Each structure stands twice: as C-alpha cells, then as structure tokens.
Coordinates of all heavy atoms in Angstrom, one line a residue:
V11 N 13.4 -12.3 -9.9 CA 12.1 -12.5 -9.2 C 11.5 -13.7 -9.7 O 10.9 -14.5 -9.0 CB 11.3 -11.2 -9.5 CG1 9.8 -11.4 -9.0 CG2 12.0 -9.9 -9.0
E12 N 11.4 -13.9 -11.0 CA 10.8 -15.0 -11.7 C 11.5 -16.4 -11.2 O 10.9 -17.3 -10.9 CB 10.9 -15.0 -13.2 CG 10.1 -16.0 -13.9 CD 10.1 -15.7 -15.2 OE1 9.7 -14.7 -15.9 OE2 10.4 -16.8 -16.0
E13 N 12.9 -16.3 -11.2 CA 13.6 -17.4 -10.6 C 13.3 -17.9 -9.2 O 13.2 -19.0 -8.8 CB 15.1 -17.2 -10.8 CG 16.1 -18.1 -10.3 CD 17.5 -17.6 -10.4 OE1 17.9 -17.0 -11.4 OE2 18.2 -17.7 -9.4
L14 N 12.9 -16.8 -8.3 CA 12.6 -17.0 -7.0 C 11.1 -17.4 -6.8 O 10.8 -17.6 -5.7 CB 13.0 -15.9 -6.2 CG 14.5 -15.5 -6.0 CD1 14.7 -14.2 -5.3 CD2 15.1 -16.7 -5.2
G15 N 10.4 -17.5 -7.9 CA 9.0 -17.9 -7.8 C 8.0 -16.7 -7.6 O 6.9 -17.0 -7.3
G16 N 8.4 -15.5 -7.8 CA 7.6 -14.3 -7.6 C 7.1 -13.8 -8.9 O 7.6 -14.3 -10.0
K17 N 6.3 -12.7 -8.9 CA 5.9 -12.1 -10.2 C 5.7 -10.6 -9.8 O 5.1 -10.2 -8.9 CB 4.7 -12.7 -10.6 CG 4.2 -12.1 -11.9 CD 2.8 -12.9 -12.3 CE 2.3 -12.5 -13.7 NZ 1.1 -13.0 -14.1
I18 N 6.3 -9.7 -10.8 CA 6.2 -8.5 -10.8 C 4.9 -8.1 -11.6 O 5.0 -8.4 -12.7 CB 7.3 -7.6 -11.3 CG1 8.6 -7.8 -10.4 CG2 7.0 -6.0 -11.3 CD1 10.0 -7.2 -10.8
L19 N 3.9 -7.4 -10.9 CA 2.8 -7.2 -11.6 C 2.7 -5.9 -12.5 O 2.2 -5.7 -13.5 CB 1.5 -7.2 -10.6 CG 1.3 -8.5 -9.9 CD1 0.1 -8.4 -9.1 CD2 1.0 -9.6 -11.0
N20 N 3.4 -4.9 -11.7 CA 3.6 -3.6 -12.5 C 4.5 -2.8 -11.6 O 4.8 -3.0 -10.4 CB 2.2 -2.8 -12.6 CG 1.5 -2.5 -11.3 OD1 2.1 -2.3 -10.2 ND2 0.2 -2.4 -11.3
G21 N 5.1 -1.8 -12.2 CA 6.0 -0.9 -11.5 C 6.1 0.6 -12.1 O 5.6 0.8 -13.1
L22 N 6.7 1.3 -11.2 CA 6.8 2.7 -11.6 C 8.1 3.3 -11.2 O 8.5 3.1 -10.0 CB 5.7 3.6 -10.8 CG 4.2 3.2 -11.1 CD1 3.4 3.9 -10.0 CD2 3.8 3.6 -12.5
A23 N 8.8 3.9 -12.0 CA 10.0 4.7 -11.7 C 9.7 6.2 -11.7 O 9.1 6.7 -12.5 CB 11.2 4.5 -12.8
L24 N 10.1 6.8 -10.6 CA 9.8 8.2 -10.4 C 10.8 9.2 -10.9 O 12.0 8.8 -10.7 CB 9.3 8.4 -8.9 CG 8.3 7.5 -8.3 CD1 8.1 7.8 -6.8 CD2 6.9 7.6 -9.1
Q25 N 10.3 10.4 -11.2 CA 11.3 11.5 -11.4 C 12.0 11.8 -10.3 O 11.5 11.6 -9.1 CB 10.5 12.6 -12.1 CG 10.1 12.4 -13.6 CD 11.2 12.2 -14.6 OE1 12.3 12.8 -14.4 NE2 11.0 11.6 -15.6
P26 N 13.0 12.7 -10.1 CA 13.7 13.1 -8.9 C 12.8 13.8 -7.9 O 11.7 14.4 -8.4 CB 14.7 14.1 -9.4 CG 15.0 13.6 -10.8 CD 13.8 13.1 -11.4
A27 N 13.1 13.6 -6.6 CA 12.2 14.2 -5.6 C 11.9 15.7 -5.8 O 10.9 16.3 -5.4 CB 12.8 13.9 -4.2
G28 N 12.9 16.4 -6.4 CA 12.8 17.9 -6.5 C 11.7 18.2 -7.6 O 11.3 19.4 -7.7
T29 N 11.1 17.3 -8.3 CA 10.1 17.6 -9.2 C 8.7 17.5 -8.6 O 7.8 17.7 -9.2 CB 10.1 16.7 -10.4 OG1 10.0 15.2 -10.0 CG2 11.6 16.8 -11.2
A30 N 8.6 17.0 -7.3 CA 7.5 16.7 -6.7 C 6.8 17.9 -6.2 O 7.4 19.0 -5.9 CB 7.6 15.9 -5.4
K31 N 5.4 17.9 -6.0 CA 4.6 18.8 -5.5 C 3.8 18.3 -4.4 O 3.5 17.1 -4.5 CB 3.5 19.6 -6.5 CG 4.3 20.2 -7.8 CD 4.7 21.5 -7.4 CE 5.4 22.1 -8.6 NZ 6.1 23.4 -8.3
T32 N 3.5 19.0 -3.2 CA 2.8 18.5 -2.1 C 1.7 19.3 -1.9 O 1.7 20.5 -1.9 CB 3.8 18.4 -0.9 OG1 4.9 17.7 -1.2 CG2 3.1 17.7 0.3
V33 N 0.5 18.7 -1.6 CA -0.8 19.4 -1.2 C -0.9 19.0 0.3 O -1.1 17.8 0.7 CB -1.9 19.0 -2.0 CG1 -3.2 19.7 -1.5 CG2 -1.5 19.4 -3.4
R34 N -1.0 20.0 1.3 CA -1.3 19.8 2.6 C -2.3 20.9 3.0 O -2.1 22.1 2.8 CB 0.0 19.9 3.6 CG 1.0 18.9 3.3 CD 2.1 19.1 4.3 NE 3.3 18.3 3.8 CZ 4.1 17.8 4.5 NH1 4.1 18.1 5.8 NH2 5.0 17.1 4.0
A35 N -3.5 20.5 3.5 CA -4.5 21.4 4.0 C -4.9 22.4 2.9 O -5.1 23.4 3.1 CB -4.2 22.2 5.3
G36 N -4.8 21.9 1.7 CA -5.2 22.7 0.6 C -4.0 23.6 0.0 O -4.3 24.3 -1.1
A37 N -3.1 23.7 0.7 CA -1.9 24.4 0.2 C -0.9 23.7 -0.6 O -0.6 22.5 -0.1 CB -1.2 25.1 1.4
V38 N -0.3 24.2 -1.6 CA 0.5 23.5 -2.5 C 2.0 24.1 -2.2 O 2.2 25.2 -2.1 CB 0.3 23.8 -4.1 CG1 1.3 23.0 -4.9 CG2 -1.1 23.2 -4.4
A39 N 2.9 23.0 -2.1 CA 4.2 23.4 -1.8 C 5.2 22.6 -2.8 O 4.8 21.6 -3.3 CB 4.7 23.0 -0.4
D40 N 6.4 23.1 -3.1 CA 7.4 22.4 -3.8 C 8.1 21.4 -3.0 O 8.3 21.5 -1.8 CB 8.4 23.4 -4.4 CG 7.9 24.3 -5.4 OD1 6.9 23.9 -6.1 OD2 8.6 25.4 -5.7
G41 N 8.3 20.2 -3.6 CA 9.1 19.2 -3.0 C 8.3 18.0 -2.5 O 7.0 18.1 -2.6
P42 N 9.0 17.0 -2.0 CA 8.3 15.7 -1.7 C 7.6 15.9 -0.3 O 7.8 16.9 0.4 CB 9.4 14.7 -1.5 CG 10.7 15.5 -1.2 CD 10.4 16.9 -2.0

C-alpha cells in the first residue's frame, strides 16, 4: 500500500461470522 502511494489509517479483523449477533426491530438473533 505504501509503495503504491496509499496509506492504511486503521483496520479491523473480525471473528468468524458464527460469533455475530444481529438486532432487527428490537429482536436479537444469532448470526450475521
């Protein structure tokens, strides 16, 4: 990235999708 003239300002690596929780209309569900 630096060689190409760009810059990474920050980054996040996420845990597997199976660890996600979703909130829709106030209801919580397992998964992405």
Side-chain angles (χ1 to χ4, degrees):
V11 171
E12 190 173 308
E13 177 185 312
L14 292 169
K17 182 177 181 183
I18 295 174
L19 299 181
N20 59 32
L22 302 168
L24 303 177
Q25 294 288 338
T29 64
K31 302 283 185 189
T32 304
V33 179
R34 293 180 196 213
V38 177
D40 291 333

